[in-house]
Amino acid sequence: MHLLSRERPRRRELASSDELTWRRLPFDRLSAGSWPSRRGEARRLRACSVQVIAIWALVFVCSVFPALAANRTIRTRPARLVNGAPVLFQVKAPAKLESLTGTWLGHQLTFSYNPSTKTWFTLAGVSFETTPGKYALELTGQRDATKTPWTFKQTLTVSRAKYPQIKVELTVEKKFTEPNPEQQQQIAEGVKIKEDYLNRVTPAREWDGKFTAPAEAPISDVFGSQRIFNGKAQRPHFGLDFRVPAGTPVAAMNQGTVLLARFLYFEGNCVVIDHGQGLLTLYFHLSEFKVKEGDSVKRGQEIGLSGGTGRATGPHLHVAVRWQGAYLDPARLMQLPLP
């Protein structure tokens, strides 16, 4: 049987001088001149303290700031914003708000609250003429009267959309390209009517849920294409054309109030529905009205019959979407998942 050795085990040598900052060597293991100076050890301790503080600060930032960001998230649909397209803004505020408003590209926004998702939302857009770049979305949330309003600003990027470069050669009656004085007067009257009605912004939101197609038919012309009438280039096509024969029922794309139901020189028999907060849908070249101005309509409700009135080369349905004076792509609006 072996006896346990009474000799104390030898201490291991230091792996590196860094350990001096965490423990002291026994006096008997230090040779002359090897004891670290108090000043050097203090510097090392301060350096370690700074590192520890920095690590804790990083942990704090990584844990707290994502939580703050999550409490004031701004989400856009679609995620990539382009000129000529609608956009759904969804905001999760950091605190309970009574109301939420904002500004975007010089337009005023009014948000609605969705209690099921606890988010604020509004439908807006980017005009066809908007130059690609970075633009600010500014928000102001009203809490109760005793608290300071909540404000937030986020920069969003607008890219250039790729619309079809299709030159559509069309022939129409000469009165639409070279109108006489009487016809010019009719055109001027139509311009005045559109200026009075199409730029109105009613405060209440009437639309609810997804926008649907006004007719089940193929598309004959898309938003943004270049049009040429009688050899003369016109502005881009700010609508969506459905290839339908005359007399096809035309349905409201969403609920709202009939703003216009009358004949205009270029548009022919047209219906304009106000969906609230500056969002309008327009239906041109109708052969017959099924609603009158001031009527409330539901999504899918028949508002007229298609035709070829106004400046049209034949029977079809032209549909346009207008938001606070800017024309937007109807096809993109119908693709948006809306609350």
Side-chain angles (χ1 to χ4, degrees):
M1 181 175 181
H2 297 283
L3 296 177
L4 295 176
S5 174
R6 295 179 179 271
E7 183 181 356
R8 297 177 63 184
R10 299 186 61 185
R11 298 181 182 270
R12 69 179 181 86
E13 298 294 331
L14 279 176
S16 68
S17 60
D18 290 342
E19 293 187 28
L20 291 174
T21 59
W22 297 104
R23 64 184 180 88
R24 295 180 60 183
L25 290 176
F27 184 82
D28 60 350
R29 299 292 296 168
L30 288 172
S31 59
S34 64
W35 188 270
S37 68
R38 293 182 177 178
R39 180 176 299 175
E41 185 174 1
R43 281 199 299 267
R44 292 190 185 94
L45 287 172
R46 284 197 299 271
C48 288
S49 298
V50 170
Q51 291 176 353
V52 171
I53 293 172
I55 291 172
W56 278 109
L58 182 60
V59 171
F60 175 80
V61 168
C62 292
S63 61
V64 173
F65 276 82
L68 292 177
N71 286 336
R72 55 180 184 187
T73 300
I74 295 179
R75 183 181 184 184
T76 66
R77 288 181 177 268
R80 179 175 178 266
L81 306 186
V82 297
N83 63 308
V87 54
L88 176 70
F89 289 124
Q90 294 175 297
V91 179
K92 186 175 182 181
K96 184 178 180 180
L97 301 176
E98 298 295 328
S99 64
L100 182 65
T101 57
T103 58
W104 167 248
L105 297 175
H107 299 278
Q108 298 298 314
L109 306 178
T110 301
F111 287 76
S112 301
Y113 186 67
N114 185 347
S116 63
T117 59
K118 297 182 179 180
T119 58
W120 294 83
F121 67 92
T122 193
L123 195 53
V126 182
S127 73
F128 186 85
E129 298 79 13
T130 299
T131 303
K134 297 184 181 297
Y135 299 90
L137 171 64
E138 299 183 6
L139 303 175
T140 301
Q142 296 295 333
R143 295 184 278 186
D144 59 52
T146 62
K147 295 183 179 179
T148 305
W150 171 75
T151 60
F152 185 64
K153 179 179 179 180
Q154 181 165 324
T155 300
L156 302 173
T157 300
V158 173
S159 303
R160 188 180 300 281
K162 294 181 180 180
Y163 293 105
Q165 297 297 312
I166 303 174
K167 291 187 177 182
V168 184
E169 298 280 354
L170 299 171
T171 302
V172 295
E173 295 181 62
K174 192 174 181 180
K175 67 179 182 179
F176 293 113
T177 56
E178 300 177 30
N180 61 35
E182 181 181 351
Q183 293 162 345
Q184 289 177 2
Q185 179 62 31
Q186 295 176 20
I187 292 172
E189 290 173 357
V191 170
K192 181 64 167 57
I193 290 172
K194 287 183 284 188
E195 287 178 349
D196 289 344
Y197 284 85
L198 301 189
N199 292 320
R200 296 182 181 181
V201 178
T202 52
R205 176 181 62 86
E206 293 193 54
W207 65 267
D208 183 24
K210 188 177 177 64
F211 280 72
T212 56
E216 294 184 5
I219 303 300
S220 58
D221 198 3
V222 297
F223 182 89
S225 64
Q226 179 68 59
R227 317 196 85 188
I228 299 177
F229 287 112
N230 299 352
K232 296 182 179 179
Q234 308 293 318
R235 69 176 186 173
H237 185 231
F238 287 148
L240 196 63
D241 286 351
F242 291 82
R243 188 182 293 115
V244 293
T248 301
V250 176
M253 298 175 68
N254 211 311
Q255 64 187 38
T257 301
V258 177
L259 186 62
L260 277 177
R262 63 180 74 178
F263 178 86
L264 297 176
Y265 190 82
F266 290 112
E267 295 79 5
N269 292 329
C270 68
V271 170
V272 178
I273 300 177
D274 182 1
H275 302 285
Q277 299 175 349
L279 184 65
L280 312 175
T281 52
L282 304 84
Y283 312 79
F284 294 169
H285 313 306
L286 304 178
S287 61
E288 186 178 336
F289 295 113
K290 294 294 185 179
V291 291
K292 63 182 183 300
E293 294 175 10
D295 284 353
S296 294
V297 295
K298 300 293 184 181
R299 178 176 48 241
Q301 179 179 334
E302 186 176 314
I303 59 173
L305 302 179
S306 65
T309 57
R311 188 178 65 182
T313 57
H316 72 283
L317 172 63
H318 172 98
V319 172
V321 172
R322 189 176 169 100
W323 175 72
Q324 296 193 19
Y327 282 102
L328 307 176
D329 187 352
R332 294 176 188 267
L333 177 61
M334 289 187 288
Q335 293 169 356
L336 277 182
L338 300 175

